[in-house]
Structures are given as structure tokens and as C-alpha cells.
Amino acid sequence: MVRALDEVVENHPHETIVVVSHADPIKSAIAHYTGMHLDSFQRINVSPASVTVFDFHTYGVMMVKCNDTGGLDDLLPEPEDKSATESQPHDAASGAES
């Protein structure tokens, strides 16, 4: 499971990836990425249709959600503030707004 996840992440850098599996492979991934010994993975509960989210970075992996059965809205990227990205015209010589 870990090898498959690492390969998918490597092949899709900076992308959001969804991987669907049964409980035991998910529990083994949770154990691995959180540093738990694999012998203890049965202590983790993974409910049917629950969501576990990892955020993979260059320097490590962070578990963002575990066994979550609620919504996923908190995982959506923040909308860009259009007022901050739209610049108003400026006078090139003084930098003053026109």
C-alpha cells in the first residue's frame, strides 16, 4: 500500500489524488505515515466510506484527516480574492492611482 501511494504521489506532484481502498490497507498507510509500528495497526478504526487525508511534502507527510465521515468542504482551496488580483490603473511616473 505504501509503495503504491508513494508511486502515485511521485507521478502526480502538486496534485490532489483520490485513492480508494479497504480498511486494512488504509490502516497500514496510517500506521506507516504516522510512525506507528505495523503490529499496532489494528488499533486504528477506519469506518466504511470514511475519509483519511494525507498531505505529502518534500520533508514529510502530515495526516490531515483520519476516519472522517463528515464533509470535505474544508479541503477545498481558498477562493482567490479577485479584488486583490485586479490592479487599479496607476500613473507610471509617480505610482499614484489615476
Side-chain angles (χ1 to χ4, degrees):
M1 180 63 162
V2 170
R3 186 177 0 192
L5 288 173
D6 287 343
E7 185 176 313
V8 169
V9 169
E10 182 179 324
N11 291 331
H12 299 276
H14 310 292
E15 294 183 63
T16 299
I17 304 161
V18 175
V19 177
V20 180
S21 184
H22 293 280
D24 282 353
I26 295 169
K27 292 191 287 186
S28 70
I30 292 169
H32 174 79
Y33 292 119
T34 61
M36 176 186 281
H37 196 279
L38 188 58
D39 289 344
S40 301
F41 90 112
Q42 291 296 358
R43 295 179 183 177
I44 302 168
N45 183 45
V46 173
S47 300
S50 67
V51 174
T52 297
V53 177
F54 291 105
D55 197 353
F56 289 77
H57 296 276
T58 304
Y59 301 108
V61 180
M62 178 175 50
M63 187 167 57
V64 177
K65 286 183 177 275
C66 182
N67 195 41
D68 192 315
T69 57
L72 301 176
D73 290 343
D74 58 322
L75 298 174
L76 296 173
E78 292 290 324
E80 289 187 32
D81 183 9
K82 290 187 179 188
S83 63
T85 58
E86 295 175 2
S87 60
Q88 297 206 4
H90 291 266
D91 179 67
S94 67
E97 290 184 13
S98 323

